Amino acid sequence: MIQSVVFDVGSTLVREDRYWGSWADWLKVPRHTLSALVGAVVAQGRDDGDAIRLVRPGTDVEAERRAREAAGRGEWLDETDLYPDARSALGRLRESGLRVALAGNQSLRAGELLRGLELPVDAVATSSQWGVRKPDPEFFRRVLELGGAAPRDTLYVGDYPALDIRPAKAAGLRAAHIRRGPWGNLWAGTADAAQADWRIDSLDELVEIVTGPST
């Protein structure tokens, strides 16, 4: 029985249009150019930060991120960045008595912004907070601590099979792959995605799987 559900953030709960658009503006390149490069590196299985390095070779992405923050042009999230089903699905899961948490490869700033949205969740954590990123097994050990349940009673939900599904299953968790965003769609047919216990197209589907259909 699932007792805890932990969600990835980017392209699972939050659209990344604003994120990449703001990077393009900062780098002074057309948004379409950076978007296309993000798609290209994703298709090659590379880190999405490589898109920034293609536009500006040799860039230290973390140093550039700090420069953006110092200039008042850092990360930002508000309600419009959430997928339409995100808040309601989180709320329904929590109302059913499950522990609900967020844990993804995000910055400290993103964690602060997510908490500021006052989503119906019990906890929010990021890779920068923990000092470890997916797919490192230590990240998923932390996920289990955050969820507070045994591995087989913990469900991790994410869009990127190689970072979300494969390592979650290796750690003994249940996993749900959501087919949306560039990674979720591009890698939906991979062996990593096939390891998922459930494959879904929306978070409403997930709620029905975990709690049963609404009456």
Side-chain angles (χ1 to χ4, degrees):
M1 179 180 293
I2 301 299
Q3 298 179 11
S4 176
V5 185
V6 183
F7 289 85
D8 168 52
V9 178
S11 293
T12 297
L13 298 174
V14 173
R15 297 195 312 266
E16 297 190 295
D17 310 55
R18 185 202 299 265
Y19 177 81
W20 288 112
S22 65
W23 266 112
D25 295 345
W26 174 258
L27 296 169
K28 295 182 172 59
V29 299
R31 290 188 173 198
H32 175 71
T33 297
L34 188 59
S35 177
L37 288 172
V38 170
V41 299
V42 167
Q44 295 169 13
R46 295 161 59 182
D47 182 270
D48 55 14
D50 285 347
I52 295 170
R53 299 180 189 98
L54 287 171
V55 169
R56 189 176 290 175
T59 296
D60 181 330
V61 176
E62 287 306 313
E64 204 69 18
R65 192 190 310 277
R66 291 192 294 272
R68 288 184 57 191
E69 292 289 346
R73 295 176 60 187
E75 290 182 78
W76 185 256
L77 285 173
D78 63 27
E79 195 73 19
T80 65
D81 296 299
L82 296 175
Y83 283 106
D85 57 2
R87 184 177 290 276
S88 62
L90 295 171
R92 288 165 61 193
L93 289 169
R94 198 168 184 225
E95 288 167 5
S96 74
L98 298 174
R99 179 172 172 80
V100 179
L102 314 184
N105 282 350
Q106 271 78 38
S107 65
L108 290 172
R109 172 63 174 162
E112 294 170 358
L113 292 168
L114 286 165
R115 294 182 189 97
L117 291 177
E118 298 185 346
L119 294 166
V121 299
D122 297 289
V124 175
T126 68
S127 57
S128 293
Q129 173 187 336
W130 285 344
V132 62
R133 292 173 60 84
K134 294 181 291 184
D136 193 304
E138 175 63 16
F139 183 96
F140 287 90
R141 188 187 71 77
R142 298 290 189 95
V143 164
L144 286 170
E145 289 181 352
L146 191 71
R152 290 296 295 170
D153 298 328
T154 303
L155 172 61
Y156 192 77
V157 185
D159 66 298
Y160 199 149
L163 298 187
D164 298 326
I165 307 307
R166 182 176 66 199
K169 293 300 294 180
L173 285 71
R174 303 283 188 91
H177 177 237
I178 186 162
R179 293 180 291 249
R180 65 181 173 196
W183 296 268
N185 285 292
L186 181 63
W187 301 112
T190 62
D192 289 336
Q195 293 185 48
D197 296 274
W198 298 284
R199 303 174 80 174
I200 58 176
D201 293 307
S202 73
L203 296 178
D204 292 329
E205 287 182 49
L206 180 76
V207 174
E208 292 198 2
I209 289 167
V210 176
T211 68
S214 58
T215 56

